[in-house]
Amino acid sequence: MISEEECREAAELALDQLPLWVREKIGNVAVIVEDSHPRHLMGIYDPVGGVQRIVIFRDTHPNAAEVRKTVLHEIGHYFGMGEEQLQARTKMFCGCELSFGDRPNTHTCPVCLAHPGVLPVINEQAVRYALQIALALESEVAPRSIFHRKNYFYPDNPKGYQISQYDIPLARGGWLGDVRIHRVHLEEDAAKLTHVGESGRIHGSATSLVDFNRGGTPLVEIVTEPDLRDPAEAREWAQLLRTTVKQLGVSDVNMEEGSLRCDANVSVRRAGAEQLGTKTELKNMNSFRFLERGIAAELERQTALLEAGGQVEQETFHFDPRTASLTPLRSKEYAHDYRYFPEPDLVPLAPTEEMLRHAREALPELPAERRERYEAELGLPEVTARQLAFDAQLGDFFERALAVADGVEPGVLANWVAGELSAAQRHFGPDGREVDPAHLVAVARMVVEKRITHASGREVLHTLIDPGSSVGDPEEIVKARQLAAVSDASELEAIVERAIEAEPAAAEKVKAGNPKAIGPIVGAVMRETNGRADGGEVMRLIREQLGLD
Amino acid sequence: MDDVLELTVAEALRRIEDGELTAGEYFDAYAEAAGGDELGAYLWTANPGPTATPPPPESETRRRRAGDSLRGAPLAVKDIFCTEGIETTAGSRILEGYRPPYTATAVRKLADAGARLLGKTNMDEFAMGSSTENSGYGPVLNPWDRERVPGGSSGGSAAAVAGRVAPWAIGTDTGGSIRQPASLCGIVGLKPTYGAVSHYGMIAFASSLDQCGPLTRDVTDAALLLRAAEGRDACDSTSVGIDGGVELPSREDLDGLRFGVPRELSAEAEGIEAGVSEIFERTLGKIRELGGEVDECELPHAAHGLSAYYVLAPAEASANLARYDGVRYGLRADADADLIAMYERTRAAGFGAEVKRRIMLGTYALSSGYYEAYYGRAQRVRTKIADDFRAAFERFDYLVTPTSPTVAFKIGERTADPLAMYMSDFCTVPMSLAGIPAISIPAGLAEPDGGGAGLPVGFQIAAPAFDESGLLDAAHALERAIDFDTRPPGVRP
Ligand SMILES: [Zn+2]
Ligand SMILES: [Zn+2]
């Protein structure tokens, strides 16, 4: 670690090198150098009675450059940036930074390596995040929840026990969508094992490597009641859960990176049976697609088994996405008596009123609520409401468009966002340009006012997104591409007249009472107008001229 | 200079302050004595000289805050405390060669206050034992009679302090591991209130019971050491420190203080030697002479303390010792074997018999189907015992018992009989379960049953939680009246 003198010098230098306006703004800052912080923090911004103090902990700073970084970080606090914006997220019971894809075993300390004598300290930020999740799920937070030790031997479990929650979890009950929540609890993640060798499992592999970077990552386990009825429903619900947690901003909720993991308990029963059947557990489904496929495969297996007169055994399966097959885990690997008992190194977790209030205030509008509001207040059909609410990006765009709608009906905007915009974005993928919500509103307005046709509106939207087109606003695009609808009534009447003359056979059939025969006449009108005529108006004029109204 | 080894730390510090002694002389006298230790008390000792061993990391800021009150005083540390870069084994072969990457909070706080690490003391493996015969590195001899045990598990610390190879020491007490060896070696041993001193860096045996405390030649030194070591530590969620700190004792009488004598832990207790009873009674007389009231009292569940203790402590130990698996540090036996075999062989080779016995006891007690009958029930007994003490402290200021039912026993005498060994903690375990502070002070010499030269007998005083200052004061007054000579025969001129 850096020497005390060097540390102080580096910190003071970093302060001196701040831009003048920053220095004037912060005034005098005292730098305090301490040896270490129990949670191995790097620094603390600590205003005491109007005096700005920055405390730097030496043991987490190998050199002056790191000290400088910490000083800047703490200055960030002075300007009101919260830990969420500034502080790296840390492990559940020590101060190690969370990481994904870093060099193995670079985010470790005596605590998460389970050296003799170390003790866990609850990460308050993790508790705050977990409270947000619990509240978002309308789960009831326990005034005092208890951590337990879950005992088992494995190289990914350095203490020989995992600290988890058992009989008194962080929160109980709740809902997400129409699925009931059983409980929400906090625990720590295991380290990551890599088995070198053919089997890919610890038995029979030549070498197993442990990466403790992941060990101790805070996990929130959410258990539902058995309310999901088929694989697609399970996938959809898992996606809703992801969107919900993502909106809270407390996790990346990335299945591929393992920040969202899903185990499925699966059982079947005969139609009409009251009791649920014996369940099995599926592990390792690291995408929504695999989740759905794994459950489907297991339902099929159980059904076939029961129909052949067999019985389902309670066991755990590993889903192999490559072969879409289920392998039972060897009983030795999972049939544990975990010997749970209360963790004596921790005191009960009692969230303060302040923590609960903060968690409540930090809740954004969540997908389920948003969908309800779209249906009840905006009158959107369920499918559209769901699509906008469960895709946070699309939903947020819709919100911004609504704010500048200026008279354009929400239902109309919703269709444009959920339909045309979403399709166009998919079409162009990540290369597509971002659309200004006001531009989308302008397009929708032009269509509503019949200044352009719906098809032209779509073309304008595509032009706005197309990275290859020159930037423009909707009005310019309409002008440049001559998309303005044929709005002169007499001009359109004349075109319709010519079209009827050009398609006499069709005209006769329509007159004789076959409305479907109108197609060729409409086609002729559209050809002549380059699609710029309003379809409804064209139909009306044809029928009028054929004397049908 | 031999004289230096007879000073209490408080006296030595006064001499250093007055310029009659230098901190270097003081340290070197002990470093030399510790280097020549014949009791097996040490597993590691510092070399004499100013730069011989790097003191644990410390900073000016911390030192200023701590006040440098200990001025370089040498400190013996039970080998259960992690010391950065210095081998720390907890008396176990499974940790042979293990050099911790950090220093325990208690050691660090004492170093911040100016103490210098003199040595790491021998102990029963992972603090499991009452004789220090369970050390993986050989037994410790009692300086009063080298054929006898010094008690345990902090036997190395106790023997070093009594044998004049350390001026004072820290140990840990889970069910009596400070008080019982203090009693058997004729010194003072204090188990503070659970949570008074940080656990961080103290290798865990039974987390909900383990507590760090001083082993010293007199009560004042115990107060001096506790004052520097106690305090809330952000690294230990269970630590709270002692509100208002610790005052140095000055009391010389016991006027108006009420002392309760729990029947279950004295007259009615099984196995208390006649000599021990006699000294205990004589000490009660001294309390009365000093103006204290003495009356009998009840702790109805205290007699079940030992049974509850031998469920709870092994249960916690079975989890605490799971980390010694050969994967990350310490011993790894048969690295070429498969995982399960490597685990089994490492733990079979690294742990001694008593540790294995307790791991099995604890694993069994926590097993599904047995949890309620053992662990659940033991927890309820623990609650009842704490309630008993609470009720007793409504009538009494302090409760007093013999510390150990016997004087020091012969090496090997009880190794074949674990239950007889467990009985050593009969009088000390209830206070551990209740989490309250208790001190053992030497009260006199008694012949062992069967005859022989007189051996030290300890007198235990227990106080309500966090009343360390009051407890030390009362012990101080009594200590003056007893006027025990802590020098074992071998070191007397
Ligand atoms: Zn920060
Ligand atoms: Zn860590």
Side-chain angles (χ1 to χ4, degrees):
Chain A
M1 81 177 113
I2 191 166
S3 81
E4 191 168 339
E5 206 182 45
E6 244 185 301
C7 182
R8 186 180 310 281
E9 258 172 35
E12 272 154 17
L13 187 67
L15 284 172
D16 287 347
Q17 289 174 340
L18 289 171
L20 191 62
W21 69 269
V22 177
R23 269 186 290 157
E24 281 177 348
K25 190 121 194 175
I26 59 178
N28 267 333
V29 178
V31 174
I32 316 279
V33 176
E34 296 265 346
D35 289 359
S36 65
H37 185 275
R39 296 191 60 243
H40 308 278
L41 295 185
M42 312 201 60
I44 290 177
Y45 168 69
D46 184 17
V48 181
V51 182
Q52 313 299 329
R53 290 176 5 134
I54 291 176
V55 188
I56 312 280
F57 299 101
R58 281 199 298 140
D59 69 339
T60 41
H61 294 88
N63 54 46
E66 292 300 318
V67 173
R68 184 187 155 76
K69 263 196 234 164
T70 303
V71 169
L72 298 180
H73 170 109
E74 303 308 332
I75 298 288
H77 283 318
Y78 174 82
F79 286 98
M81 287 191 234
E83 278 311 307
E84 273 123 294
Q85 289 157 280
L86 283 172
Q87 197 194 35
R89 292 178 181 176
T90 55
K91 293 184 180 181
M92 187 65 222
F93 298 113
C94 65
C96 290
E97 207 179 299
L98 302 186
S99 64
F100 179 81
D102 278 13
R103 243 166 19 94
N105 297 312
T106 51
H107 297 276
T108 61
C109 72
V111 175
C112 57
L113 290 176
H115 273 265
V118 296
L119 297 170
V121 175
I122 297 172
N123 175 349
E124 190 183 310
Q125 190 61 50
V127 173
R128 289 175 182 273
Y129 285 163
L131 286 174
Q132 283 191 39
I133 291 177
L135 293 179
L137 302 177
E138 297 171 60
S139 196
E140 196 183 328
V141 175
R144 285 156 64 89
S145 64
I146 311 282
F147 284 97
H148 270 64
R149 290 185 181 177
K150 178 182 180 180
N151 296 285
Y152 67 95
F153 282 93
Y154 215 56
D156 65 3
N157 177 30
K159 296 189 293 300
Y161 53 86
Q162 178 200 27
I163 304 178
S164 182
Q165 295 193 301
Y166 184 56
D167 52 0
I168 310 179
L170 181 79
R172 277 184 217 268
W175 292 88
L176 178 63
D178 39 19
V179 171
R180 288 171 301 157
I181 303 297
H182 177 62
R183 60 184 270 156
V184 176
H185 80 237
L186 262 169
E187 61 183 33
E188 56 175 341
D189 203 352
K192 192 167 170 253
L193 281 177
T194 306
H195 304 302
V196 183
E198 278 179 17
S199 71
R201 309 264 290 278
I202 200 155
H203 298 286
S205 63
T207 315
S208 292
L209 304 171
V210 198
D211 175 8
F212 289 99
N213 284 355
R214 200 184 72 180
T217 301
L219 295 181
V220 171
E221 183 164 308
I222 299 162
V223 183
T224 73
E225 296 291 349
D227 287 350
L228 292 160
R229 291 290 171 264
D230 68 65
E233 209 183 317
R235 191 208 60 223
E236 231 172 73
W237 188 83
Q239 281 167 329
L240 168 60
L241 179 68
R242 183 185 60 176
T243 309
T244 303
V245 176
K246 196 166 187 132
Q247 217 137 318
L248 295 174
V250 302
S251 166
D252 308 331
V253 248
N254 185 323
M255 265 194 143
E256 285 72 28
E257 291 185 3
S259 55
L260 175 65
R261 273 172 256 166
C262 192
D263 294 346
N265 287 322
V266 181
S267 70
V268 299
R269 57 178 161 182
R270 294 200 180 277
E274 295 245 319
Q275 284 279 320
L276 292 173
T278 306
K279 68 179 181 193
T280 56
E281 189 173 354
L282 308 188
K283 287 186 177 289
N284 193 40
M285 292 170 296
N286 59 0
S287 80
F288 291 111
R289 213 153 40 92
F290 296 155
L291 170 71
E292 184 173 357
R293 282 188 8 208
I295 296 173
E298 176 57 10
L299 285 178
E300 212 170 284
R301 189 191 69 86
Q302 287 190 18
T303 308
L305 193 66
L306 290 179
E307 276 172 356
Q311 271 198 334
V312 176
E313 298 290 330
Q314 191 165 345
E315 55 189 323
T316 301
F317 289 94
H318 176 100
F319 178 69
D320 185 348
R322 283 172 307 176
T323 57
S325 65
L326 297 159
T327 335
L329 288 177
R330 280 169 47 162
S331 60
K332 230 182 173 174
E333 285 179 44
Y334 75 93
H336 289 290
D337 175 358
Y338 288 119
R339 304 190 309 279
Y340 281 98
F341 75 99
E343 166 57 283
D345 290 335
L346 293 172
V347 292
L349 173 59
T352 61
E353 258 317 305
E354 179 270 338
M355 290 169 85
L356 287 167
R357 200 186 60 240
H358 263 108
R360 234 174 270 129
E361 284 167 0
L363 286 188
E365 187 184 36
L366 296 167
E369 279 167 35
R370 198 174 247 192
R371 187 189 76 183
E372 235 167 75
R373 180 167 63 89
Y374 286 171
E375 285 185 54
E377 288 176 25
L378 303 183
L380 302 188
E382 200 211 312
V383 179
T384 317
R386 197 184 181 88
Q387 193 190 341
L388 291 176
F390 289 11
D391 181 331
Q393 237 183 328
L394 221 51
D396 287 346
F397 186 91
F398 177 57
E399 291 292 323
R400 284 159 63 207
L402 272 182
V404 294
D406 196 20
V408 180
E409 288 292 318
V412 172
L413 281 182
N415 283 335
W416 274 97
V417 175
E420 301 297 351
L421 178 70
S422 153
Q425 281 173 340
R426 265 200 307 277
H427 176 79
F428 287 103
D431 298 334
R433 276 207 305 254
E434 228 177 280
V435 177
D436 180 343
H439 283 172
L440 183 102
V441 170
V443 171
R445 185 191 311 283
M446 285 192 274
V447 175
V448 170
E449 290 173 353
K450 305 207 159 140
R451 291 177 48 210
I452 57 173
T453 64
H454 189 92
S456 301
R458 181 190 301 137
E459 192 179 332
V460 174
L461 190 58
H462 272 245
T463 312
L464 287 169
I465 296 178
D466 188 347
S469 73
S470 58
V471 190
D473 74 15
E475 294 286 355
E476 280 170 22
I477 295 169
V478 167
K479 213 180 279 168
R481 300 203 160 201
Q482 299 182 327
L483 295 173
V486 182
S487 52
D488 186 323
S490 57
E491 189 192 340
L492 192 57
E493 269 172 37
I495 293 169
V496 168
E497 212 177 309
R498 282 199 293 280
I500 291 175
E501 275 166 23
E503 299 285 344
E508 279 314 308
K509 281 186 199 159
V510 176
K511 266 198 266 187
N514 180 1
K516 284 182 188 158
I518 204 164
I521 307 172
V522 177
V525 174
M526 289 304 173
R527 264 196 307 282
E528 202 170 332
T529 60
N530 279 324
R532 289 173 298 120
D534 180 77
E537 184 65 9
V538 171
M539 296 285 278
R540 195 186 63 76
L541 285 173
I542 295 170
R543 292 172 66 84
E544 188 185 87
Q545 291 192 18
L546 292 176
L548 290 174
D549 286 329
Chain B
M1 281 301 293
D2 267 1
D3 179 38
V4 167
L5 303 180
E6 285 307 322
L7 301 175
T8 65
V9 178
E11 285 165 355
L13 293 179
R14 190 193 51 74
R15 286 197 194 180
I16 291 171
E17 194 165 348
D18 292 350
E20 296 162 29
L21 179 71
T22 69
E25 286 165 358
Y26 188 36
F27 185 84
D28 287 352
Y30 270 108
E32 256 154 48
D37 161 45
E38 292 171 352
L39 300 167
Y42 284 105
L43 296 177
W44 176 89
T45 53
N47 293 319
T51 56
T53 57
E58 55 198 68
S59 74
E60 268 316 302
T61 327
R62 280 162 185 274
R63 172 160 280 190
R64 271 198 304 274
R65 204 185 305 134
D68 193 20
S69 56
L70 303 182
R71 299 172 182 281
L75 173 73
V77 170
K78 188 178 182 180
D79 202 35
I80 203 163
F81 291 92
C82 285
T83 42
E84 186 177 343
I86 294 170
E87 187 170 353
T88 301
T89 66
S92 181
R93 288 283 173 188
I94 210 161
L95 280 175
E96 193 169 2
Y98 171 68
R99 285 182 170 72
Y102 75 109
T103 296
T105 301
V107 176
R108 184 166 192 152
K109 286 194 75 160
L110 287 163
D112 286 345
R116 268 182 79 183
L117 182 61
L118 172 64
K120 302 291 296 284
T121 59
N122 202 352
M123 56 182 284
D124 280 306
E125 184 177 8
F126 289 108
M128 297 178 189
S130 307
S131 68
T132 315
E133 289 164 292
N134 295 335
S135 168
Y137 303 91
V140 179
L141 316 181
N142 189 318
W144 289 80
D145 177 348
R146 296 189 178 197
E147 287 181 6
R148 292 177 185 265
V149 303
S153 65
S154 309
S157 286
V161 174
R164 273 51 187 171
V165 289
W168 61 359
I170 53 173
T172 59
D173 189 315
T174 306
S177 281
I178 288 174
R179 291 162 286 164
Q180 186 257 11
S183 172
L184 270 48
C185 290
I187 58 168
V188 172
L190 170 66
K191 181 201 91 73
T193 310
Y194 185 79
V197 183
S198 169
H199 286 93
Y200 190 69
M202 216 171 93
I203 297 179
F205 157 23
S207 318
S208 74
L209 296 156
D210 297 341
Q211 184 57 221
C212 162
L215 294 107
T216 56
R217 304 236 185 100
D218 74 358
V219 174
T220 302
D221 277 3
L224 198 59
L225 196 154
L226 180 62
R227 188 170 68 171
E230 67 86 21
R232 156 133 181 80
D233 176 11
C235 289
D236 176 359
S237 318
T238 67
S239 76
V240 283
I242 298 170
D243 209 12
V246 176
E247 278 168 47
L248 295 190
S250 56
R251 190 160 182 146
E252 296 180 5
D253 63 67
L254 297 172
D255 280 343
L257 293 180
R258 300 158 302 166
F259 291 81
V261 182
R263 210 184 299 139
E264 298 80 1
L265 301 179
S266 53
E268 287 179 7
E270 262 176 67
I272 296 191
E273 287 181 334
V276 171
S277 280
E278 199 190 312
I279 298 281
F280 181 66
E281 290 300 328
R282 198 200 299 164
T283 310
L284 295 181
K286 291 244 158 64
I287 291 177
R288 291 194 191 90
E289 282 168 29
L290 289 169
E293 286 170 40
V294 177
D295 210 344
E296 203 174 64
C297 81
E298 286 181 348
L299 293 173
H301 301 89
H304 302 299
L306 209 58
S307 315
Y309 176 84
Y310 275 97
V311 171
L312 298 175
E316 291 181 14
S318 71
N320 283 331
L321 270 57
R323 69 190 57 194
Y324 309 108
D325 59 5
V327 174
R328 282 146 296 122
Y329 49 75
L331 180 73
R332 178 187 288 179
D334 217 346
D336 291 336
D338 72 27
L339 177 71
I340 304 291
M342 187 277 283
Y343 279 161
E344 288 172 354
R345 287 171 200 170
T346 297
R347 291 166 67 83
F351 290 140
E354 182 60 27
V355 169
K356 287 176 192 161
R357 178 157 38 236
R358 297 206 197 180
I359 290 175
M360 284 190 284
L361 271 174
T363 304
Y364 183 79
L366 290 173
S367 298
S368 79
Y370 298 98
Y371 180 90
E372 253 318 297
Y374 292 100
Y375 189 85
R377 213 151 153 209
Q379 281 292 19
R380 286 194 292 280
V381 170
R382 182 176 189 172
T383 307
K384 294 252 186 238
I385 289 174
D387 290 344
D388 284 355
F389 275 107
R390 217 166 291 131
F393 284 128
E394 281 174 17
R395 281 182 58 210
F396 298 99
D397 297 300
Y398 303 105
L399 301 182
V400 295
T401 75
T403 307
S404 162
T406 68
V407 294
F409 43 91
K410 287 242 166 77
I411 291 171
E413 192 181 309
R414 296 190 186 176
T415 40
D417 185 356
L419 287 183
M421 189 72 91
Y422 295 172
M423 284 305 287
S424 306
D425 293 333
F426 185 79
C427 296
T428 48
V429 151
M431 294 75 180
S432 296
L433 291 170
I436 58 174
I439 193 168
S440 176
I441 59 170
L445 299 177
E447 279 185 13
D449 277 2
L455 293 165
V457 173
F459 184 82
Q460 179 176 230
I461 315 172
F466 301 109
D467 185 24
E468 271 80 354
S469 290
L471 175 64
L472 288 159
D473 243 348
H476 178 259
L478 192 54
E479 172 185 61
R480 278 175 52 92
I482 295 168
D483 195 24
F484 179 81
D485 185 349
T486 66
R487 288 173 301 171
V491 302
R492 281 180 214 197

